[in-house]
C-alpha cells in the first residue's frame, strides 16, 4: 500500500503541472491586456475611464481582429471563474460599516430605495421591450448597483452569454459617462448643496470612478460624500447577488430541473465579500495596505473582464439590436430622475 501511495505522487504532480500549463497561456494573455489597460489609462490621463472598461474593450478588439488562440481557452475560462471571484471577494476590503454610518439612516434609505426601484423598473422594462431575461438582469444590476463590477458579479448566477455581459458593460459605461458630464451642470442649475449633490451622484451614477469625477467637480465635500454614498451602494452588491441566485434556483426547480444540473451554484464568493467588509470594519487592516489591496482588486477584476472580451464576438453583440440599448437608456433615465427626486425631498 505504501508503494502505491509513493508511486502515485509523481503522477499527481504531473497532473497538477499539466493543469497549470494549460491555464498559463490564457491567464497570461488576460493579465497582459489588463496591464495594458492600466498603462493606457495613465497615458490618456482620464481617471474616470475605468481600467475595467478598457480591459474588456482591448480584449474584444484582440478577439475580433486577431482571434483568441485555442491554447488560451482554458486560462480564459479560469479568469472568468476563479480570478473574477477572487477580485469580488477582495472588493469587500474597500468598504466598512463605518462608511455606511457616515451616510446616515435617511441617506442609506434613499440609496436602498433607488437601487431596488431601479432594478425592478429595469426588469419590467426589459419584459416590455422583449429583451432576454439574462441581459435584462445584467443591465439592471449594472445600472442600479455599481457598473461593470456588478455586471460580472451578477453573471455568476444569471449565466448569460459573454456577448450579453459585454453589451451590459457598454451600456453602463456610455450612460454613466453621460451622467458624469451632465450631473455637475444640473447640480449647479438646481443649486444643490455639497451633501445633496454627493448623495445624488453616489446613488445614481454607475461606476465608482465616474462618481468620483462628477462629485469632486462640485468641490471637496461633495466629492467625499459622493464617494462614501457610492461605496455604500456597492456594499449592497452582496445581498442582490444572493437574492438573484436564490430566485434562479427557485425558477429552475419550478421548471423541473434537478438541484445538481438546473440550479445555479451558491455564490460563496459573496460570503467572502461580506467577510472582507467585516474585516475592514474592525480597523485591524493597516491603512498602509489599502492602496495595495485596492490595486490588486482592480487588477484581478480587469483581468477577468479582459478574459470576457477575449470571448466576445462583436457580430453577436450587434445581433442583439437596439432594444437592449433602449433598456440601458431607460434604466439610466429612471435612476437619475428617481434619485434626484428623493434627494430634493430630503433636502
Amino acid at each position: 500500500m505504501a508503494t502505491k501511495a509513493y508511486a502515485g505522487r509523481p503522477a499527481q504532480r504531473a497532473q497538477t503541472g499539466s493543469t497549470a500549463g494549460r491555464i498559463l497561456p490564457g491567464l497570461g494573455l488576460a493579465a497582459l491586456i489588463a496591464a495594458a489597460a492600466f498603462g493606457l489609462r495613465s497615458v490618456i490621463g482620464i481617471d474616470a475611464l475605468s481600467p475595467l472598461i478598457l480591459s474588456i474593450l482591448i480584449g474584444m478588439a484582440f478577439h475580433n481582429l486577431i482571434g483568441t488562440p485555442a491554447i488560451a481557452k482554458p486560462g480564459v475560462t479560469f479568469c472568468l471563474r476563479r480570478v473574477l471571484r477572487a477580485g469580488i471577494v477582495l472588493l469587500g476590503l474597500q468598504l466598512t460599516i463605518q462608511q455606511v454610518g457616515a451616510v446616515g439612516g435617511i441617506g442609506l434609505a434613499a440609496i436602498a430605495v433607488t437601487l431596488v426601484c431601479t432594478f425592478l423598473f429595469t426588469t419590467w422594462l426589459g419584459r416590455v421591450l422583449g429583451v432576454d431575461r439574462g441581459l435584462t438582469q445584467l443591465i439592471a444590476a449594472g445600472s442600479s448597483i455599481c457598473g461593470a463590477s456588478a455586471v460580472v458579479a451578477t453573471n455568476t448566477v444569471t449565466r448569460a452569454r459573454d456577448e450579453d455581459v459585454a453589451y451590459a458593460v457598454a451600456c453602463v459605461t456610455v450612460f454613466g459617462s453621460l451622467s458624469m458630464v451632465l450631473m455637475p451642470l444640473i447640480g449647479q442649475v438646481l443649486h444643490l448643496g455639497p451633501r445633496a449633490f454627493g448623495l445624488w451622484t453616489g446613488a445614481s451614477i454607475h461606476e465608482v470612478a465616474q462618481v468620483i469625477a462628477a462629485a469632486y467637480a462640485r468641490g471637496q465635500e461633495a466629492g467625499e460624500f459622493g464617494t462614501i454614498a457610492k461605496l455604500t451602494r456597492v456594499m449592497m452588491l452582496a445581498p442582490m447577488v444572493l437574492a438573484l441566485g436564490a430566485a434562479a434556483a427557485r425558477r429552475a426547480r419550478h421548471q423541473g430541473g434537478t438541484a445538481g444540473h438546473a440550479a445555479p451554484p451558491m455564490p460563496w464568493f459573496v460570503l467572502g465579500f461580506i467577510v472582507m467588509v467585516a474585516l475592514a470594519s474592525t480597523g485591524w487592516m493597516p491603512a498602509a495596505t489599502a492602496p495595495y489591496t485596492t490595486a490588486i482588486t482592480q487588477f484581478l477584476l480587469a483581468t477577468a473582464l479582459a478574459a470576457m472580451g477575449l470571448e466576445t464576438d462583436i457580430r453577436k453583440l450587434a445581433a442583439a439590436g437596439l432594444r437592449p440599448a433602449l433598456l440601458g437608456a431607460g434604466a439610466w433615465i429612471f435612476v437619475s430622475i428617481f434619485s434626484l427626486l428623493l434627494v430634493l425631498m430630503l433636502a
Side-chain angles (χ1 to χ4, degrees), residues 75-296:
V76 168
T77 302
F78 177 82
C79 290
L80 293 173
R81 294 177 182 172
R82 303 297 177 84
V83 175
L84 169 61
R85 285 162 171 77
I88 294 172
V89 168
L90 288 180
L91 186 63
L93 289 176
Q94 299 179 31
L95 314 170
T96 67
I97 302 299
Q98 291 81 357
Q99 289 173 330
V100 176
V103 173
I106 295 178
L108 179 61
I111 293 170
V113 169
T114 298
L115 187 155
V116 172
C117 290
T118 300
F119 192 92
L120 293 176
F121 171 82
T122 307
T123 302
W124 168 81
L125 184 60
R127 288 198 299 267
V128 171
L129 293 174
V131 178
D132 178 74
R133 183 203 301 270
L135 178 54
T136 294
Q137 289 185 336
L138 294 181
I139 292 176
S143 300
S144 61
I145 309 174
C146 57
S149 299
V151 170
V152 293
T154 302
N155 193 52
T156 59
V157 293
T158 59
R159 293 175 170 179
R161 302 175 306 158
D162 291 336
E163 287 77 20
D164 290 343
V165 174
Y167 205 119
V169 169
C171 281
V172 298
T173 301
V174 170
F175 296 116
S177 298
L178 286 174
S179 291
M180 182 181 68
V181 174
L182 295 175
M183 282 189 174
L185 301 176
I186 297 172
Q188 186 173 4
V189 171
L190 296 177
H191 302 291
L192 291 177
R195 291 177 69 88
F197 181 73
L199 179 59
W200 184 34
T201 58
S204 61
I205 299 181
H206 303 335
E207 289 280 344
V208 174
Q210 294 165 343
V211 171
I212 292 172
Y216 274 97
R218 296 279 293 157
Q220 182 74 18
E221 185 180 356
E224 292 176 355
F225 196 76
T227 303
I228 293 172
K230 177 61 179 178
L231 292 178
T232 301
R233 186 171 153 210
V234 173
M235 194 177 293
M236 299 177 186
L237 174 65
M240 177 64 76
V241 173
L242 288 173
L244 287 174
R250 190 163 53 248
R251 187 164 55 249
R253 287 194 297 270
H254 289 334
Q255 292 172 352
T258 62
H261 295 87
M266 169 67 180
W268 293 109
F269 68 92
V270 176
L271 301 182
F273 173 92
I274 296 171
V275 169
M276 291 298 104
V277 172
L279 177 61
S281 302
T282 62
W284 295 343
M285 294 288 294
T289 64
Y292 301 102
T293 56
T294 299
I296 293 171

